[in-house]
Amino acid sequence: VAGKPKLYYFDGRGKMESIRWLLAAASYDTLGNEDWLCSGSLMFQQVPMVEIDGMKIVQTRPILSYIAAKYNLYGKDLKERALIDMYAGGTDDLVGFILMFPFLLAEDKEKQCALIVQKATSRYFPAYEKVLKDHGQDFLVGNNFSWADVHLLEAILMVEEKKSDVLSGFPHLQAFKARISNIPTIKKFLEQGSQRKPVPDDKYVETVRRVLCMYYDIKAN
């Protein structure tokens, strides 16, 4: 469809998933088509790449920043933008532990799963729980829906795939999850048949390894 962004990535989550989330959050009609890798257009021979507004943008953070600003999900001033960047950056650190999980040695996966839950419940979720409790607002920054909220919900759901009751000690995050999940654009993205990708399977892992010449298993932290 003309005017929609085009996404270049593997057919799976990876670093593109947060971009899919943000585009979906922006509008029902924003999330464009996806294509296989397009190496001739990649500035640094790396994906993800998004074609949008006549540009081909690579590197995950610039893509996310552009989309957030374009669709008014990036705060009203520099102070709010700094907070959004800070919260999204913290969430991204947590998501990083999860993204590497499918590529681990089988014997390391149990250890990594425990580490993900430990990091979430002792470092990241307590911080966001305190933010929500202290300011008493519906969203993380400025009481307006932002990129930070989208990314946090994505991370919460990913950690819940490892431990379903991970939010049991975080009542404000439980309410946040319910609230953000019911925003119409988010609710639609969470429905079956959307462009949200499933948990990476063996086929996805093998494809990524083959394309990136990843002939080794990642060691757990």
Side-chain angles (χ1 to χ4, degrees):
V1 178
K4 287 188 178 183
K6 190 168 185 179
L7 283 53
Y8 294 87
Y9 202 68
F10 302 98
D11 184 19
R13 287 185 181 178
K15 291 186 176 181
M16 184 62 84
E17 191 70 355
S18 294
I19 298 166
R20 297 185 189 102
W21 268 89
L22 192 56
L23 284 168
S27 168
Y28 291 136
D29 301 319
T30 301
L31 190 50
N33 295 326
E34 300 204 26
D35 204 349
W36 184 236
L37 313 183
C38 184
S39 59
S41 299
L42 301 174
M43 178 175 286
F44 306 116
Q45 291 81 54
Q46 293 176 317
V47 287
M49 181 176 77
V50 173
E51 284 190 53
I52 185 171
D53 295 340
M55 299 184 294
K56 293 180 178 179
I57 309 177
V58 298
Q59 298 293 317
T60 308
R61 182 51 64 107
I63 294 170
L64 289 166
S65 296
Y66 184 84
I67 294 166
K70 177 179 173 69
Y71 293 102
N72 299 314
L73 295 170
Y74 213 173
K76 69 179 187 296
D77 54 35
L78 283 175
K79 288 185 177 179
E80 288 192 356
R81 182 168 292 194
L83 289 174
I84 290 167
D85 282 338
M86 182 174 70
Y87 296 152
T91 303
D92 204 43
D93 290 343
L94 174 59
V95 169
F97 289 105
I98 304 170
L99 292 183
M100 67 178 288
F101 182 84
F103 302 95
L104 294 173
L105 291 164
E107 58 265 30
D108 284 340
K109 287 188 174 181
E110 184 176 350
K111 175 184 174 183
Q112 184 72 2
C113 185
L115 178 64
I116 290 166
V117 173
Q118 186 268 327
K119 293 286 188 183
T121 56
S122 66
R123 178 179 297 181
Y124 298 102
F125 289 174
Y128 297 123
E129 179 80 3
K130 186 176 188 302
V131 170
L132 293 167
K133 180 180 179 181
D134 287 353
H135 66 40
Q137 297 174 337
D138 288 345
F139 306 104
L140 286 171
V141 179
N143 206 28
N144 286 301
F145 184 44
S146 77
W147 168 23
D149 302 305
V150 179
H151 201 25
L152 179 54
L153 177 61
E154 179 193 3
I156 287 171
L157 296 181
M158 291 174 77
V159 179
E160 285 186 333
E161 289 170 349
K162 306 300 180 191
K163 189 175 189 297
S164 60
D165 63 347
V166 72
L167 288 186
S168 60
F170 302 99
H172 289 86
L173 281 178
Q174 290 176 36
F176 171 88
K177 174 193 167 185
R179 192 161 52 242
I180 304 303
S181 295
N182 277 294
I183 291 173
T185 51
I186 296 291
K187 187 174 183 179
K188 185 174 180 65
F189 188 61
L190 292 174
E191 292 174 354
Q192 188 173 1
S194 79
Q195 285 179 267
R196 185 186 180 206
K197 299 298 182 182
V199 175
D201 58 14
D202 291 342
K203 180 180 178 182
Y204 170 77
V205 170
E206 178 57 32
T207 299
V208 173
R209 282 180 168 159
R210 175 172 47 81
V211 172
L212 300 183
C213 300
M214 190 189 292
Y215 300 121
Y216 57 88
D217 290 293
I218 296 173
K219 292 287 187 179
N221 291 332

